[in-house]
Amino acid sequence: MTHFNTYFPADLVLQTKRVVLRPLVAADLDEFRRIAASPALWTYFAKELNNDTQLAEWVNDAIQEHASGKRVPFTIVDKFTGAVCGSSSFGNISFIDQRVEIGWSWLGEAYLGSGINFHAKFALLQFAFDQLHVERVEIKTDNLNERAKQALRKIGATEEGVLRSHMLMTHGRRRDSVYFSILKSEWEALKSGRFAGMGYEG
């Protein structure tokens, strides 16, 4: 836990001119409940967070995995309105391999296509490469989720390949996961290119 606590202090906050990513806390459950009601949001997610029991379990799992040094969950807040928009996390952290995954990500329906995701991804990538000094950031998604794959291409991630029958989803479906990545050697060009003017303030 030494490296984890050093690089991920309990009060870690990331932000751009548009979003704040602050530590996820149990009190966020009510706000998550408000924005998680649409069943369509969870077609490609491992849980159906429009179900109150599953949402509460998901929040509890996030907090427990943070406490055990496995994951760093954030609540995403819109700076313009102060509203909670969704969540994202760092996980599968390997200090030896200098690698981290961005995942467990979702936004309420009203925030899809708003630019919130782009800003949140930038804040996470900036911290990963410029503070953690990782060599690789990886992101996986359901291979059926064309919207998510397009969003990952938009941030400059490279599609690597598909892991067949990789995850068990709701209703017994076996998910094929597609992996994307960004490497340290690619980051500066992305930061000064498609992420120019993002206003990182972490």
Side-chain angles (χ1 to χ4, degrees):
M1 289 283 286
T2 302
H3 284 305
F4 185 90
N5 292 332
T6 298
Y7 288 105
F8 300 111
D11 59 351
L12 178 64
V13 173
L14 310 178
Q15 55 185 317
T16 72
K17 62 186 179 184
R18 179 68 194 278
V19 298
V20 176
L21 278 69
R22 59 162 177 75
L24 184 153
V25 295
D28 290 325
L29 179 60
D30 286 341
E31 287 299 307
F32 287 158
R33 187 181 290 118
R34 180 181 60 81
I35 61 174
S38 173
L41 288 173
W42 314 112
T43 302
Y44 305 112
F45 208 75
K47 289 184 179 292
E48 294 180 328
L49 301 190
N50 57 313
N51 177 293
D52 199 60
T53 299
Q54 291 193 44
L55 177 61
E57 290 174 351
W58 187 85
V59 169
N60 184 64
D61 287 347
I63 292 168
Q64 294 302 315
E65 289 178 3
H66 192 190
S68 62
K70 294 180 179 179
R71 181 174 154 203
V72 186
F74 295 96
T75 294
I76 303 170
V77 178
D78 185 346
K79 263 190 174 180
F80 295 170
T81 66
V84 168
C85 306
S87 182
S88 192
S89 299
F90 287 124
N92 292 324
I93 303 156
S94 174
F95 293 105
I96 292 175
D97 298 312
Q98 297 175 278
R99 181 187 72 234
V100 69
E101 179 178 351
I102 294 172
W104 302 265
S105 303
W106 64 274
L107 292 176
E109 195 169 43
Y111 303 102
L112 298 176
S114 67
I116 293 288
N117 178 64
F118 196 75
H119 274 262
K121 287 294 191 295
F122 172 71
L124 292 161
L125 289 166
Q126 174 89 17
F127 183 81
F129 285 115
D130 295 345
Q131 303 297 319
L132 294 182
H133 303 292
V134 299
E135 292 287 335
R136 168 187 170 88
V137 172
E138 58 192 30
I139 307 171
K140 67 179 182 290
T141 192
D142 192 323
N143 197 37
L144 297 177
N145 192 344
E146 294 298 330
R147 184 187 188 112
K149 291 194 290 186
Q150 187 57 34
L152 291 171
R153 295 180 187 115
K154 185 178 178 182
I155 66 170
T158 296
E159 188 170 344
E160 296 181 324
V162 175
L163 277 64
R164 298 179 301 161
S165 193
H166 183 237
M167 291 175 60
L168 177 63
M169 304 294 281
T170 55
H171 309 294
R173 179 170 73 89
R174 296 291 308 181
R175 176 180 118 169
D176 293 346
S177 294
V178 57
Y179 268 81
F180 287 75
S181 71
I182 297 174
L183 305 183
K184 181 179 179 180
S185 59
E186 301 161 343
W187 173 238
E188 289 301 322
L190 290 174
K191 184 167 63 171
S192 61
R194 63 188 67 202
F195 287 118
M198 294 293 282
Y200 179 77
E201 300 176 9

